[in-house]
Amino acid sequence: GETVYEVDTLSDIPADGDTLREAIQQSNMDATDGVIVFAEGLAGTITMLGAAEMQINGSLSIEGPGSELLTIDAVGASRHFAAPIAGVELSISGMTLTRGSGPARGGSIYMEDGACFDLADVVITDSNSPSIGGAVYLVDVIGDIAIQESHFEDNSAGGLAAVGGGAVSIIGAASTANIDITDTSFVGNEAATGDSGAVLIDTMKRT
């Protein structure tokens, strides 16, 4: 079954309450499908500390209150989320992610060998990667990929060879994902060289 974790503070400091980072870490330790929700009325900006991305090791749904109500600011020091473990199902909704910076691929969200990926009512702005996927980088995802009712603005990929996907890169010879991008807008995203200022798709299956 699912385990629900509630975030009750906008702080990234554990002493201030139940933080988003702690909820993700607890879900990782519990090794069950997790659902993260936010306390009723909680709105504002979570400023990430320590130049440390939040790593997701198991299937997880992070359900924010709305992209107009909750912002997570990585202050240009790290990605927001990384899911590098095979088989993870990841769903993120109802938030704005800003000023992410990936060390290589994926400025805001990185996923490798995932089972499926879902993004809904998410705004990603001003994030960057030195390679591909200025905002989102998905490699070898085998299940469905859905990006719905979201907005990508002023994200960039560039600086290294083989760049592309200023906002979103979905790649991988092992990827068999069905890809559905609907009701989603792209404004001012750039790839320095290579392909696709907005979206780069290079997989075995394109739908």
Side-chain angles (χ1 to χ4, degrees):
E2 295 179 338
T3 303
V4 178
Y5 309 88
E6 184 177 82
V7 176
D8 64 9
T9 179
L10 296 173
S11 176
D12 198 23
I13 300 171
D16 292 338
D18 296 323
T19 70
L20 174 59
R21 190 181 298 274
E22 285 182 302
I24 292 172
Q25 292 170 343
Q26 188 62 54
S27 179
N28 291 341
M29 288 190 294
D30 290 344
T32 61
D33 292 350
V35 178
I36 294 176
V37 298
F38 293 78
E40 184 175 356
L42 188 68
T45 299
I46 296 172
T47 301
M48 294 172 59
L49 303 177
E53 66 191 19
M54 291 180 271
Q55 182 168 317
I56 297 163
N57 295 337
S59 295
L60 184 64
S61 177
I62 306 175
E63 302 176 356
S67 59
E68 74 285 0
L69 296 175
L70 177 68
T71 296
I72 302 175
D73 186 352
V75 298
S78 71
R79 296 187 190 102
H80 298 90
F81 304 112
I85 307 299
V88 167
E89 298 180 4
L90 178 59
S91 174
I92 300 172
S93 63
M95 64 186 65
T96 291
L97 306 176
T98 191
R99 295 201 293 171
S101 182
R105 299 170 178 172
S108 175
I109 300 171
Y110 173 98
M111 185 181 212
E112 183 173 357
D113 297 325
C116 63
F117 176 82
D118 184 83
L119 210 65
D121 183 27
V122 171
V123 174
I124 304 182
T125 68
D126 298 301
S127 294
N128 67 85
S129 160
S131 182
I132 61 179
V136 176
Y137 174 80
L138 308 174
V139 58
D140 289 336
V141 175
I142 59 172
D144 292 342
I145 294 172
I147 300 176
Q148 302 172 324
E149 298 179 353
S150 294
H151 179 74
F152 296 82
E153 186 165 350
D154 294 337
N155 303 291
S156 62
L160 298 176
V163 298
V168 178
S169 291
I170 302 170
I171 69 168
S175 178
T176 56
N178 293 312
I179 301 166
D180 181 18
I181 302 176
T182 56
D183 298 324
T184 293
S185 54
F186 298 86
V187 178
N189 303 286
E190 297 182 348
T193 60
D195 299 317
S196 309
V199 181
L200 171 66
I201 298 175
D202 186 7
T203 68
M204 291 293 291
K205 181 176 182 180
R206 304 183 188 188
T207 59

